């Protein structure tokens, strides 16, 4: 064997498959042991039905893969079964009825895959039936851990305790970090890095909503450490099991794939790829790959030629450069220059394969350990009919960094990618089915995936991902630090700010209710004598298009600026608006995000909805300073700010006016509130 992994593509009619009979018998016994009193029926993404404990009885490995690819119908077996019932956990539960599984937070990689989920456990996870634990650490602040109420409960004793400092390699090795990796890490880790790594190493999902330009690289460094450590541990486990299998081979003519293997060597997924890192720009991917290379080969870097990694020069040429031009006069805001420095192309993907001596870039995705990609590139690949996306079937770590930028790009792309993880394979895998982890056979791999989500602030879209797209059986941690003042404290102009609530019955009707309220109560004011210099800010592009079409239909005089507006037309629209040629400027949020145009002459500012980027609020209000006004417009004392919101905009409001004020605005009976600065 020489420590190498041997895969053999299953072939039909192979006579040697008869040696697998004992394996099949043992699999049947295992299936019988996993049957529970109440059976679970869950519809997976491709429409196939699964029922825990009712796996098909297969005659050989080839038939197993054919069933896995084509899908199985369990309708006859699950029809008429009673629906599972979730019960509250009680303090006086009999010890024989419930078992407590104490996981070592420093050895969660090993413990994680030793837990088998029953149908009741899966039902509890999907029903969000959880227990909560709250705590506070010095760097991340207040946090909340939500853990599913499983039949075999997981103990998080010590989770609230402040993690110890990481000052030297021995500190990380004590946390079961590979020695090869620990030797190349830059010490000491900051308190924030130590705490985030402690969470990641315990394999909890993490939603960290306080990423900033100041701590961005600290966070990136930590999730790169965690990803590389996971890959190295997985590889070490496979090599150890290869040695175990080699000892079971009784004759030189016998292939390892023909040996009946114990369950202890189930160490692989349907495909090789284990980590998926989703980033917005090539510049982000460049920094991530450089950190991974430094973690693996930090002590072997040639000062003249750099890393001895194949295709590294090609990678540098494709992922660097193309920095956006930043003007010296009238400079862009600090966050704009930080966001758009480097290569801002959002269509990229690169597979990385880690071996004992090197790191292969641009490796075939089916043979890669890590995929770094943008949502756009991955969605295009998924939709390519000539290629398959089976490499997404067995993702064990999902990292989404700079999530707020996906709002400005195309949020649907990210949701589309998440919906295509852990689906049935489109072709036969080459992995020996005896080495597949049990959850791959049970189609429950999504419950064993860890997700790390980093954003600069909270939004309902981010909450939706962590609550509805992440089903880690070990639970999730969310940062819950209160927002006291919000971005309103950065407003410099003394103007009254009116917040007007729009009543709506549901999230689905909010878009229509907002539009109808605007048309009936706000639009008539635009035709009022003397009304001019109004900037209408619209966060959603769909709302922007709808309002634009309505303005054209009603023959309303206006100019517009969006992300698709050409530079010449932007200059013309600004000039017309400044000199009172059009009373209304329709302005999209994405247009402001990508260009950060300085609009002059704004006397009235209307937010059609609270902005998705909270710092845009003060930025737009500060455009109303006297230095940006037209002294000949005759409207010196006529200024106003109005924000329209619904009760479903709680998180967006919290970012602007603080948690306490946001709760008052959404819960009280009054519909109108005034803030004076």
């Amino acid at each position: 064997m020489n420590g190498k992994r041997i895969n053999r593509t299953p072939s039909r009619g192979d006579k040697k498959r008869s040696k697998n009979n004992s394996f099949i018998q043992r699999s049947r016994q295992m299936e019988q042991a996993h049957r529970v009193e109440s059976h679970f029926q869950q519809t997976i993404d491709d429409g196939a039905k699964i029922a825990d404990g009712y796996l098909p009885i297969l005659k050989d490995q080839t038939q197993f893969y054919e069933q896995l690819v084509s899908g199985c119908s369990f309708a006859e077996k699950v029809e008429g079964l009673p629906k599972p019932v979730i019960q509250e956990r009680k303090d006086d539960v009999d010890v024989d009825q419930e078992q407590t599984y104490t996981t070592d937070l420093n050895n969660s990689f090993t413990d994680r895959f030793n837990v088998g989920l029953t149908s009741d456990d899966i039902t509890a996870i999907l029903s969000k039936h959880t227990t909560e634990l709250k705590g506070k650490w010095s760097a991340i602040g207040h946090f909340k851990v939500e853990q599913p109420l499983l039949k075999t409960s997981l103990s998080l004793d010590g989770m609230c305790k402040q993690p110890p400092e990481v000052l030297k390699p021995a500190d990380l090795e004590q946390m079961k970090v590979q020695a090869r990796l620990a030797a190349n890490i830059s010490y000491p880790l900051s308190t924030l890095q130590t705490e985030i790594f402690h969470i990641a190493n315990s394999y909890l999902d993490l939603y960290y909503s306080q990423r900033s330009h100041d701590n961005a690289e600290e966070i990136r460094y930590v999730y790169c450490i965690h990803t590389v450590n996971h890959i190295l541990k997985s590889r070490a486990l496979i090599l150890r099991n290869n040695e175990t299998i080699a000892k079971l081979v009784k004759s030189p003519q016998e292939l390892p794939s023909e040996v009946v293997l114990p369950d202890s060597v189930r160490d692989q997924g349907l495909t090789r790829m284990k980590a998926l890192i989703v980033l917005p720009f090539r510049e982000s991917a460049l920094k991530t790959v450089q950190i991974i290379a430094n973690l693996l080969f930090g002590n072997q870097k040639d000062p003249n030629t750099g890393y001895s990694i194949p295709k590294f020069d090609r990678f540098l040429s494709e992922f660097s450069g193309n920095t956006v031009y930043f003007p010296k006069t009238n400079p862009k805001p600090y966050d704009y220059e930080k966001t758009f420095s480097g290569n801002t192309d959002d269509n990229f993907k690169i597979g990385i394969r880690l071996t004992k001596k090197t790191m292969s870039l641009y490796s075939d995705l089916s043979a890669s350990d890590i995929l770094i990609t943008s949502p756009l590139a991955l969605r295009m690949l998924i939709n390519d009919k000539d290629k398959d996306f089976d490499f997404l079937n067995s993702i064990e770590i999902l990292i989404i960094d700079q999530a707020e930028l996906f709002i400005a790009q195309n949020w649907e792309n990210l949701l589309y990618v998440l919906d295509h993880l852990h689906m049935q394979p489109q072709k036969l895998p080459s992995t020996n089915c005896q080495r597949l982890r049990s959850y791959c056979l049970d189609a429950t791999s999504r419950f064993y995936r860890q997700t790390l989500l980093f954003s600069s602030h909270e939004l309902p879209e981010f909450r939706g991902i962590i609550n509805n797209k992440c089903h880690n059986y070990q639970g999730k941690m969310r940062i819950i630090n209160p927002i006291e003042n919000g971005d309103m404290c950065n407003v410099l102009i003394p103007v009254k700010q009116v917040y007007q609530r729009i009543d709506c019955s549901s999230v689905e009707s909010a878009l229509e209710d907002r539009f109808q309220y605007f048309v009936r109560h706000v639009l008539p004011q635009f035709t009022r004598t003397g009304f001019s210099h109004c900037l209408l800010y619209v966060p959603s592009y769909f709302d922007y298009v709808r309002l634009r079409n309505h303005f054209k239909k009603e023959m309303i005089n206006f100019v517009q600026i969006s992300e698709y507006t050409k530079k010449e037309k932007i200059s013309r629209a600004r000039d017309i608006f400044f000199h009172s040629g059009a009373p209304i400027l329709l302005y999209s949020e994405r247009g402001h995000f990508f260009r950060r145009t300085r609009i002059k002459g704004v006397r009235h500012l209307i937010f059609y909805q609270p902005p998705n980027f909270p710092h845009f609020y003060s930025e737009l209000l500060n455009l109303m300073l006297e230095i940006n006004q037209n002294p000949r417009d005759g409207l010196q004392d006529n200024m106003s700010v109005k924000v329209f919101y619904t009760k479903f905009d709680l998180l967006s409001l919290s970012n602007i006016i603080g948690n306490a004020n946001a709760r008052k605005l959404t819960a009280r009976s009054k519909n109108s509130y005034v803030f004076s600065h």
Side-chain angles (χ1 to χ4, degrees):
M1 292 293 293
N2 295 327
K4 296 182 179 180
R5 172 184 171 187
I6 298 180
N7 293 327
R8 183 187 179 197
T9 303
S11 59
R12 294 180 180 274
D14 193 343
K15 296 180 181 180
K16 295 182 179 180
R17 289 292 179 267
S18 59
K19 296 185 178 181
N20 280 341
N21 288 338
S22 58
F23 159 70
I24 298 299
Q25 293 297 327
R26 190 177 70 257
S27 297
R28 293 178 184 174
Q29 295 174 2
M30 181 183 65
E31 294 161 14
Q32 182 66 28
H34 283 232
R35 289 192 174 110
V36 293
E37 295 179 359
S38 59
H39 301 275
F40 171 71
Q41 182 176 347
Q42 169 68 27
T43 303
I44 56 178
D45 294 332
D46 59 356
K49 303 286 186 178
I50 62 171
D52 187 59
Y54 280 92
L55 297 175
I57 299 176
L58 306 176
K59 296 181 180 179
D60 56 31
Q61 182 171 318
T62 302
Q63 184 183 357
F64 162 77
Y65 284 132
E66 290 178 346
Q67 289 278 46
L68 190 63
V69 173
S70 62
C72 305
S73 175
F74 300 96
E76 297 180 358
K77 295 183 178 181
V78 301
E79 186 177 2
L81 290 176
K83 294 183 178 180
V85 178
I86 305 176
Q87 297 180 347
E88 293 280 355
R89 175 179 295 182
K90 300 180 180 179
D91 296 335
D92 57 349
V93 175
D94 190 347
V95 177
D96 295 333
Q97 296 178 359
E98 182 178 280
Q99 298 178 352
T100 300
Y101 178 80
T102 302
T103 177
D104 181 1
L105 296 178
N106 291 332
N107 198 26
S108 295
F109 175 84
T110 302
D111 297 335
R112 178 172 178 78
F113 303 111
N114 291 335
V115 176
L117 299 178
T118 67
S119 60
D120 288 341
D121 291 337
I122 295 175
T123 304
I125 296 172
L126 295 177
S127 301
K128 301 180 177 63
H129 202 63
T130 62
T131 182
E132 295 184 358
L133 174 69
K134 294 184 179 180
K136 181 182 179 181
W137 290 344
S138 58
I140 66 174
H142 297 272
F143 61 85
K144 179 172 70 173
V145 178
E146 298 179 14
Q147 188 182 75
L149 292 175
L150 306 183
K151 201 166 186 178
T152 302
S153 62
L154 301 175
S155 174
L156 288 177
D157 293 341
M159 193 66 208
C160 291
K161 185 179 179 181
Q162 179 73 35
E165 293 181 336
V166 176
L167 305 175
K168 54 187 182 300
D171 296 334
L172 282 180
E173 291 178 18
Q174 188 176 0
M175 301 173 69
K176 308 300 181 183
V177 174
Q178 294 290 92
R180 168 190 172 186
L181 173 61
N184 292 331
I185 292 175
S186 299
Y187 296 95
L189 295 184
S190 68
T191 305
L192 176 64
Q193 290 177 318
T194 301
E195 293 174 2
I196 291 180
F197 182 75
H198 185 77
I199 300 167
N201 197 47
S202 65
Y203 284 90
L204 291 169
D205 286 350
L206 172 63
Y207 172 29
Y208 184 79
S209 56
Q210 294 185 332
R211 182 191 185 277
S212 66
H213 295 294
D214 296 329
N215 63 22
E217 296 311 310
E218 290 185 68
I219 294 173
R220 193 191 313 277
Y221 194 76
V222 170
Y223 69 64
C224 286
I225 293 175
H226 177 59
T227 301
V228 173
N229 187 49
H230 182 85
I231 301 300
L232 294 180
K233 283 185 174 181
S234 299
R235 184 175 179 274
L237 177 61
I238 291 174
L239 293 178
R240 287 198 303 269
N241 288 338
N242 285 346
E243 296 176 356
T244 301
I245 295 172
K247 296 177 182 179
L248 298 176
V249 178
K250 298 180 180 179
S251 63
Q253 293 76 22
E254 189 175 25
L255 296 176
S257 59
E258 299 170 352
V259 178
V260 177
L261 304 180
D263 289 342
S264 59
V265 299
R266 292 188 178 274
D267 54 11
Q268 300 177 30
L270 293 171
T271 53
R272 174 166 180 153
M273 186 176 295
K274 295 176 177 61
L276 174 62
I277 303 178
V278 184
L279 302 172
F281 299 130
R282 284 181 181 261
E283 175 68 14
S284 306
L286 172 66
K287 294 178 179 178
T288 303
V289 172
Q290 287 177 329
I291 291 176
I292 293 176
N294 185 60
L295 291 173
L296 290 171
F297 313 107
N299 297 330
Q300 306 171 22
K301 181 178 179 180
D302 190 316
N304 297 320
T305 61
Y307 299 104
S308 57
I309 299 175
K311 302 180 182 178
F312 195 74
D313 291 338
R314 171 191 167 187
F315 169 74
L316 290 178
S317 64
E318 292 183 0
F319 282 77
S320 60
N322 298 328
T323 301
V324 175
Y325 170 73
F326 301 124
K328 300 298 182 181
T329 58
N330 295 325
K332 300 291 185 180
Y334 170 79
D335 70 283
Y336 181 87
E337 294 188 359
K338 283 291 186 178
T339 299
F340 292 98
S341 62
N343 193 327
T344 56
D345 180 24
D346 63 348
N347 185 4
F348 64 90
K349 61 181 181 297
I350 181 170
I352 302 176
R353 178 171 179 167
L354 305 185
T355 60
K356 184 177 181 179
K357 295 184 178 180
T358 187
M359 177 177 78
S360 299
L361 299 177
Y362 298 97
S363 57
D364 185 82
L365 297 184
S366 60
S368 299
D369 295 300
I370 305 171
L371 172 60
I372 301 177
T373 181
S374 65
L376 174 62
L378 192 51
R379 180 172 186 174
M380 293 173 62
L381 179 59
I382 292 173
N383 289 333
D384 191 341
K385 296 181 179 180
D386 297 331
K387 299 180 181 179
D388 66 81
F389 52 93
D390 288 347
F391 53 85
L392 297 176
N393 293 336
S394 301
I395 298 297
E396 296 172 0
I397 295 178
L398 169 64
I399 298 172
I400 303 174
D401 195 10
Q402 297 172 271
E404 68 279 0
L405 300 190
F406 300 131
I407 295 288
Q409 292 178 341
N410 190 334
W411 186 251
E412 292 297 324
N413 288 341
L414 180 60
L415 297 181
Y416 189 85
V417 167
L418 297 181
D419 288 338
H420 286 76
L421 301 180
H422 310 292
M423 297 185 71
Q424 281 187 326
Q426 300 173 357
K427 63 181 182 180
L428 302 180
S430 59
T431 308
N432 183 352
C433 70
Q434 296 187 72
R435 299 191 68 172
L436 287 176
R437 298 191 188 275
S438 299
Y439 58 75
C440 294
L441 304 176
D442 298 337
T444 57
S445 57
R446 59 177 171 153
F447 301 105
Y448 291 81
R449 186 194 77 217
Q450 180 190 34
T451 303
L452 306 178
L453 175 63
F454 301 97
S455 67
S456 62
H457 54 276
E458 281 226 65
L459 280 179
E461 289 83 354
F462 307 152
R463 286 276 189 99
I465 283 185
I466 206 70
N467 290 334
N468 302 321
K469 305 290 185 182
C470 303
H471 305 289
N472 187 352
Y473 81 88
Q474 289 189 241
K476 64 192 68 172
M477 176 182 285
R478 179 167 61 87
I479 307 304
I480 56 172
N481 291 320
I483 303 174
E484 295 183 2
N485 299 316
D487 187 65
M488 182 178 286
C489 62
N490 297 320
V491 175
L492 303 178
I493 181 171
V495 61
K496 290 184 178 180
Q497 304 155 48
V498 179
Y499 283 71
Q500 183 68 45
R501 188 173 67 206
I502 301 174
D503 293 328
C504 56
S505 57
S506 64
V507 177
E508 291 76 14
S509 66
L511 295 177
E512 183 64 26
D513 293 338
R514 192 190 306 271
F515 178 76
Q516 293 300 330
Y517 182 92
F518 185 84
V519 170
R520 294 172 184 174
H521 299 90
V522 182
L523 198 57
Q525 301 177 16
F526 290 179
T527 58
R528 188 181 61 201
T529 304
F531 184 85
S532 183
H533 293 269
C534 176
L535 175 64
L536 178 56
Y537 180 87
V538 187
S540 168
Y541 184 72
F542 298 103
D543 290 331
Y544 173 88
V545 172
R546 189 176 187 182
L547 289 170
R548 182 193 64 189
N549 295 341
H550 185 78
F551 286 178
K552 290 181 178 179
K553 179 182 177 181
E554 298 297 325
M555 304 293 291
I556 297 175
N557 184 18
F558 76 102
V559 291
Q560 57 178 315
I561 296 178
S562 72
E563 63 271 30
Y564 301 113
T565 307
K566 296 181 179 179
K567 290 184 178 180
E568 312 83 61
K569 292 187 176 182
I570 291 177
S571 300
R572 183 170 179 269
R574 293 176 61 193
D575 184 70
I576 292 174
F577 181 74
F578 182 75
H579 292 96
S580 306
I584 303 170
L585 171 59
L586 186 61
Y587 195 35
S588 75
E589 182 173 78
R590 291 173 65 185
H592 188 68
F593 174 83
F594 286 108
R595 298 181 185 273
R596 214 60 69 88
T597 305
R598 183 173 297 180
I599 309 296
K600 294 185 177 182
V602 179
R603 293 291 184 180
H604 303 280
L605 178 58
I606 297 178
F607 289 91
Y608 188 77
Q609 186 178 356
N612 289 317
F613 297 86
H615 60 284
F616 286 1
Y617 182 81
S618 61
E619 195 170 299
L620 291 170
L621 261 70
N622 292 335
L623 291 177
M624 301 173 69
L625 290 169
E626 190 63 30
I627 192 175
N628 295 321
Q629 301 297 341
N630 184 349
R632 293 186 294 272
D633 61 10
L635 302 171
Q636 284 78 2
D637 298 327
N638 189 7
M639 304 182 73
S640 66
V641 175
K642 203 159 193 176
V643 181
F644 294 100
Y645 70 96
T646 69
K647 61 183 179 181
F648 302 108
D649 293 321
L650 176 63
L651 292 179
S652 300
L653 287 174
S654 298
N655 296 327
I656 299 172
I657 60 178
N659 294 120
N661 288 328
R663 284 193 291 267
K664 293 177 182 178
L665 266 63
T666 55
R668 290 185 176 179
S669 57
K670 288 180 58 179
N671 288 337
S672 182
Y673 300 85
V674 179
F675 290 85
S676 58
H677 187 72

